[in-house]
Amino acid sequence: MPRSRRPPPHIPVRDSKVPTGPVLVFATGAWASFVDGMKAGD
């Protein structure tokens, strides 16, 4: 059975320098907006 390619509902983000530290969780749409803004130079 093929797997769906839908994005997860939430994106966990952690400081890579502190891999055992806390995680910030963003809704997929909010994360996509952030990434789009970074690409656009906002």
Side-chain angles (χ1 to χ4, degrees), residues 9-30:
H10 298 96
I11 306 296
V13 178
R14 183 185 320 243
D15 182 346
S16 63
K17 295 179 296 299
V18 186
T20 59
V23 175
L24 296 174
V25 180
F26 296 92
T28 301

Side-chain angles (χ1 to χ4, degrees), residues 25-38:
V25 180
F26 296 92
T28 301
W31 184 254
S33 293
F34 170 75
V35 171
D36 289 343
M38 294 300 292

